[in-house]
Every structure is written in structure tokens, then in C-alpha cells.
Amino acid sequence: MTLFDGETRSWDEVRDDALACTNCPLWEPAGDTVFGEGPVPARIMLVGEQPGDQEDRQTRPFVGPAGKVLDDALAEAKLERSELYVTNAVKHFKFVQRGKRRIHQTPTAGESKACHPWLRSELDLVKPELLVLMGATAAKSILGSSFRLTQHRGEAVDSDAAPIVTATIHPSAVLRTDPSEREQYFASLVADLRTAQELAGLR
Ligand code: URA
């Protein structure tokens, strides 16, 4: 999809356009588009799945429980969040309402595709040296539906999205797994973040 007819747009202009996005039905029940945040350009860009309940309320990526796991993992991997650009493959919260609670639903491939032009625009503007895709939705959005996270996590994968592209688990996987495995999952996320920096020569 050509969004901007080859025009060069600033990050603010692209974000403002994304705020008015109706490319898929997710915009209607959700709050505002949750665009990425961080320095532009940035050496490292992280991509998650989609905003959750807290992110939708605060219109910022990774500020809820998964964001806390991410912040802890970044601290362990000696990465400063303020130096990273953090965004999501899908920029509206997909949920089902159960009483007062809004329960997260995984976005479809079609919803991810509808949001892809925004992610590509962010990549064009941020120009990261290292792109870290967190979870299957982010990984498939950039690397295609045949990409298998379980087989290739932590590796440098071939992609035109950035000089070094790697994929790892989503921080929420640490929260979803059995408590007896949480420490191990968290340690593996930190290890992948460290390896990614090494692959990109940033450590
Ligand atoms: N999960 C994500 O993938 N992104 C967020 O911003 C929050 C939770």
C-alpha cells in the first residue's frame, strides 16, 4: 500500500496520520492509535505485538505489566530505554469485553498487514542498526508468515528492515508461563537482548 505517494514525511506527520488510521476495524472499539516512541533516529528499535489495556489508556507502548518485564530485562541487558525506539506491529488494542475487563486478543495476519505501512514508515525514519522483534506477531510482520520464532530466536536473520534483525520472545510470555519457569524465560529474554547487541557490534 502506498500511503504517502513517495513523499518524505516527518515522524510527527506520520504519527498524526496514524492517529486517524481506519485501515482495519480495530480502530473503532480501541482508544487512540498507540504509535511508537523514542529517539528518531535510534540505533536500536524494539517491536512488540500491540498495545494492551494500559497502553491503550495511556497511549504509550509498553507501559503496563509487559512493559515492566521489558524494563527489567532492558536494565539487566544494560540498555537504556530512553535511547531505544519502542513500537508495536499493530497500533490499536484488540480485545473482547468481559464485564469490566478488556481481554487481549491476538491480532490476525490481516490486521497486522493493515498496520504494516506504519511500521515500515517508522523503520524508514528511525533507521535502526539493530531491530529486535519481540514475539511471533512482530516477527511475522517483518519476516513473513513462514518465520518460526522457536527455530530462529536469537539469530541474525536475513531482512532488509535493518542491518541486524533478530527475534526473541515477547515480554508477556514471561508473565504467561508457569511461575516455576518465569525466571528461566526472563533470563532467556535478557540473553537474547545481549546477543542482539553483540551481533550488531553495539556491546
Ligand atoms: N504488549 C505489546 O506487545 N506491546 C505493548 O505496548 C504492550 C504489551
Side-chain angles (χ1 to χ4, degrees):
M1 187 194 313
T2 306
L3 271 182
F4 310 126
D5 300 328
E7 248 181 274
T8 307
R9 320 249 318 158
S10 71
W11 182 89
D12 290 275
E13 287 170 328
V14 176
R15 192 263 330 266
D16 288 351
D17 287 345
L19 284 173
C21 183
T22 55
N23 284 354
C24 82
L26 295 185
W27 68 273
E28 210 165 357
D32 283 340
T33 303
V34 180
F35 209 61
E37 66 176 25
V40 178
R43 297 176 90 179
I44 304 178
M45 176 162 156
L46 305 182
V47 184
E49 183 195 81
Q50 60 159 336
D53 181 71
Q54 281 303 315
E55 288 77 15
D56 181 73
R57 291 176 197 279
Q58 298 183 43
T59 327
R60 291 186 56 206
F62 283 103
V63 291
K68 168 82 175 83
V69 174
L70 178 62
D71 286 346
D72 291 347
L74 293 176
E76 285 275 323
K78 307 242 177 316
L79 282 164
E80 279 291 333
R81 177 153 170 176
S82 61
E83 293 174 8
L84 314 177
Y85 188 87
V86 179
T87 193
N88 286 299
V90 172
K91 303 200 191 309
H92 278 115
F93 177 34
K94 181 175 182 180
F95 61 93
V96 282
Q97 192 81 41
R98 296 258 163 76
K100 286 191 177 151
R101 294 187 66 208
R102 302 191 298 171
I103 311 294
H104 161 277
Q105 286 201 303
T106 303
T108 63
E111 288 153 354
S112 207
K113 194 170 167 208
C115 231
H116 195 67
W118 304 120
L119 184 56
R120 278 320 296 201
S121 295
E122 288 176 294
L123 276 166
D124 288 347
L125 288 157
V126 175
K127 296 191 179 14
E129 291 167 41
L130 168 62
L131 176 65
V132 181
L133 306 167
M134 302 185 295
T137 299
K140 285 175 192 285
S141 167
I142 292 292
L143 301 170
S145 58
S146 60
F147 181 78
R148 292 288 168 265
L149 184 57
T150 43
Q151 283 169 25
H152 298 293
R153 69 175 283 192
E155 295 174 9
V157 285
D158 203 23
S159 166
D160 65 357
I164 296 291
V165 179
T166 68
T168 185
I169 54 168
H170 191 281
S172 66
V174 176
L175 299 172
R176 280 199 316 264
T177 193
D178 188 86
S180 65
E181 291 179 337
R182 268 192 202 147
E183 217 171 295
Q184 187 197 333
Y185 267 50
F186 179 76
S188 74
L189 173 61
V190 173
D192 284 350
L193 289 169
R194 289 198 179 118
T195 305
Q197 290 176 80
E198 279 158 16
L199 288 169
L202 299 175
R203 210 183 145 83

